């Protein structure tokens, strides 16, 4: 279950890093009543791209740690928790 959440977060972060403009427009429409009048400052897209990159990096680190924990458990003869029957 945790691996699925990390994968979903990583995919959303990748979308935010690759295409921050459409995501900012959608979130602006969700957050404001009169979104047509709201105009983001120039740095907002750069900040959204950096945020997406950080989310992807965090998800990759989390997935790597889960995989390493599963490998160490298998080496010790314990059942794997990563590919368990969730």
């Amino acid at each position: 279950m945790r691996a699925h959440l990390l994968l979903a977060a990583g995919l959303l972060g990748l979308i935010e890093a690759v295409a921050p403009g459409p995501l900012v427009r959608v979130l602006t429409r969700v957050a404001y009543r009169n979104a047509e009048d709201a105009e983001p400052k120039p740095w907002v897209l750069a900040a959204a791209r950096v945020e997406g990159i950080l989310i992807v990096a965090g998800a990759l680190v989390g997935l790597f740690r889960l995989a390493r924990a599963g490998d160490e458990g298998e080496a010790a003869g314990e059942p794997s928790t990563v590919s368990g029957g969730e």
Side-chain angles (χ1 to χ4, degrees):
M1 179 68 166
R2 184 173 178 196
H4 296 306
L5 293 174
L6 287 169
L7 185 60
L11 289 174
L12 288 174
L14 183 63
I15 291 170
E16 185 176 12
V18 173
L23 186 65
V24 167
R25 280 192 297 273
V26 167
L27 293 177
T28 301
R29 277 190 233 125
V30 169
Y32 295 102
R33 288 184 187 152
N34 208 357
E36 294 81 30
D37 294 340
E39 188 174 330
K41 293 188 177 187
W43 57 266
V44 170
L45 295 180
R49 182 167 281 136
V50 169
E51 179 185 36
I53 291 169
L54 291 174
I55 291 171
V56 169
L60 287 175
V61 167
L63 287 170
F64 178 74
R65 287 183 178 174
L66 278 176
R68 294 281 297 186
D71 290 344
E72 291 171 2
E74 288 176 3
E78 299 172 4
S80 175
T81 58
V82 175
S83 61
E86 292 181 25

